[in-house]
Every structure is written in structure tokens, then in C-alpha cells.
Amino acid sequence: MQQIVVAFERQSNCDRLRDVLESTGEFSCLTCRSAAQVKRTVSKLRLDLVVCGFKLTDESCEMLHFDLPQRCVMLMVAPQARLELCAAPGIFKLPAPAGRAELLASVRMLAQLVQAGQPPAQRTQEEKELVEQAKAALMARDGMTEDQAHRFLQKRSMDQGARMADTARRVLDEIKTGRDA
């Protein structure tokens, strides 16, 4: 069972996410409401995975990210507008409200990276542009919102165990050749 820090400003959000993650039997969660608590918990217990909101009672999670050890992986769960305000590289983002399956898939993927000792790869500018092109193509072809297109790419990437840029490339190829994405 892997231990995870769940950190949100509101205790009810901590409790809700803890319940979802612990219901699988794969994770044990420690909840925190302040960045100071997260730092102490991560340091004392040498934990590597933090699931958090946009801000905590004493600072933003973006600022917290800079204070965590480099081995730590952070998944920020927040409304898309808030996620767009976060420019720190290395923070994984999941738009809220996220479904149970999306949350679990994201946490499982990051937990596997942590267990394998692999640092999460950051997207290059070229890869970011590829993802943006795929989202734009999905929006134009299927009438999706940007958030829906992003979630589509994210879910498909997780289902196929592929990087988001590779999935975006495949989706663009499928759209160009007229196959269903």
C-alpha cells in the first residue's frame, strides 16, 4: 500500500479524495490543510506523491511545489481556470471536477512512476504544440470544448499507456486520414 499526501484547503475536499483513493485498497492517505504540514509530512515520512488543490491555508500549491524535494511528484486537482494560472513546470494537472476513474488513473500512473524511480518527463515546447493542435482538431471536428478535448486526450493516453504527445500525434493522424479518433 502506497502512502500519499492529500492536501486541500477544505477538510471536506481532503476527506472526499482520501475516501476515493483508499477505497481501492492501493493507497493510504495522510491529509493536510497547510503547506507547512505537507512539508513536514513529506520530510518526516519520505513520501513522494502529493495530491493537492490550487492553494492551501498558508500558500499556493505552486509555491509549495518549489519547496518539496525533487523526488516528489505533485498532482494538482483544480478547476481548469485555476490550473491555467499555474505555470510551474513539473506539476501534473487534473481538471476538476474529475471523475473517480480519471482521478484513480492519474494517481495510479504517477504512483507507478514514483515506485519505478523514474522522474516524470516534462513536455517539450514541440510536444505542447502537438497537444494543442490535437485539442484544436478535436474541438473543430467533434464540437468539444477545450476541457473536453484535453480530457479525451488524457484519458486515451492513460488507457493506452502512452505519453500525451504520442496520443496527440495519433489523433491528428487519424483525423487527417478520416478514421475515428
Side-chain angles (χ1 to χ4, degrees), residues 5 36 43 55-56 64 76-77 80 87 95 127 141 159 164 170:
V5 175
S43 177
K55 68 179 184 124
L56 298 172
L64 167 64
M76 185 182 290
V77 182
Q80 184 65 40
E127 290 172 326
R141 188 190 73 178
D159 290 346
M164 190 111 145
R170 279 191 222 108

Side-chain angles (χ1 to χ4, degrees), residues 100-155:
R100 174 183 164 80
E102 289 174 304
L103 174 67
L104 289 173
S106 297
V107 172
R108 283 178 178 136
M109 178 186 69
L110 294 175
Q112 286 175 349
L113 286 175
V114 166
Q115 286 177 340
Q118 297 175 353
Q122 296 302 311
R123 287 190 204 130
T124 64
Q125 187 60 34
E126 181 182 334
E127 290 172 326
K128 289 177 186 177
E129 290 170 6
L130 194 61
V131 170
E132 290 303 316
Q133 289 172 5
K135 288 193 307 190
L138 288 167
M139 290 163 59
R141 188 190 73 178
D142 298 336
M144 293 182 181
T145 65
E146 183 178 4
D147 186 46
Q148 290 169 329
H150 181 82
R151 285 184 185 204
F152 174 87
L153 290 171
Q154 191 175 44
K155 181 173 181 341

Side-chain angles (χ1 to χ4, degrees), residues 9-173:
E9 189 172 31
R10 293 178 52 207
Q11 186 63 44
S12 60
N13 290 342
C14 288
D15 295 342
R16 195 174 9 215
L17 258 72
R18 183 194 62 224
D19 291 347
V20 169
L21 294 172
E22 288 184 346
S23 70
T24 66
E26 299 171 58
F27 306 107
S28 171
C29 300
L30 299 155
T31 62
C32 299
R33 294 187 52 221
S34 73
Q37 285 178 309
V38 173
K39 291 173 202 173
R40 280 192 307 271
T41 303
V42 164
S43 177
K44 184 177 180 182
L45 300 175
R46 294 202 41 81
L47 300 179
D48 299 328
L49 184 53
V50 177
V51 178
C52 62
F54 182 73
K55 68 179 184 124
L56 298 172
T57 57
D58 54 351
E59 71 180 18
S60 73
C61 289
E62 184 173 16
M63 296 306 296
L64 167 64
H65 178 69
F66 290 115
D67 292 334
L68 292 175
Q70 225 171 355
R71 71 177 191 279
C72 284
V73 175
M74 179 181 279
L75 174 64
M76 185 182 290
V77 182
Q80 184 65 40
R82 293 283 177 119
L83 294 178
E84 290 170 4
L85 296 174
C86 178
I91 297 178
F92 289 85
K93 301 170 187 172
L94 180 63
R100 174 183 164 80
E102 289 174 304
L103 174 67
L104 289 173
S106 297
V107 172
R108 283 178 178 136
M109 178 186 69
L110 294 175
Q112 286 175 349
L113 286 175
V114 166
Q115 286 177 340
Q118 297 175 353
Q122 296 302 311
R123 287 190 204 130
T124 64
Q125 187 60 34
E126 181 182 334
E127 290 172 326
K128 289 177 186 177
E129 290 170 6
L130 194 61
V131 170
E132 290 303 316
Q133 289 172 5
K135 288 193 307 190
L138 288 167
M139 290 163 59
R141 188 190 73 178
D142 298 336
M144 293 182 181
T145 65
E146 183 178 4
D147 186 46
Q148 290 169 329
H150 181 82
R151 285 184 185 204
F152 174 87
L153 290 171
Q154 191 175 44
K155 181 173 181 341
R156 189 158 176 195
S157 294
M158 287 184 221
D159 290 346
Q160 295 177 347
R163 296 179 63 240
M164 190 111 145
D166 296 334
T167 300
R169 188 175 290 111
R170 279 191 222 108
V171 166
L172 287 169
D173 289 344

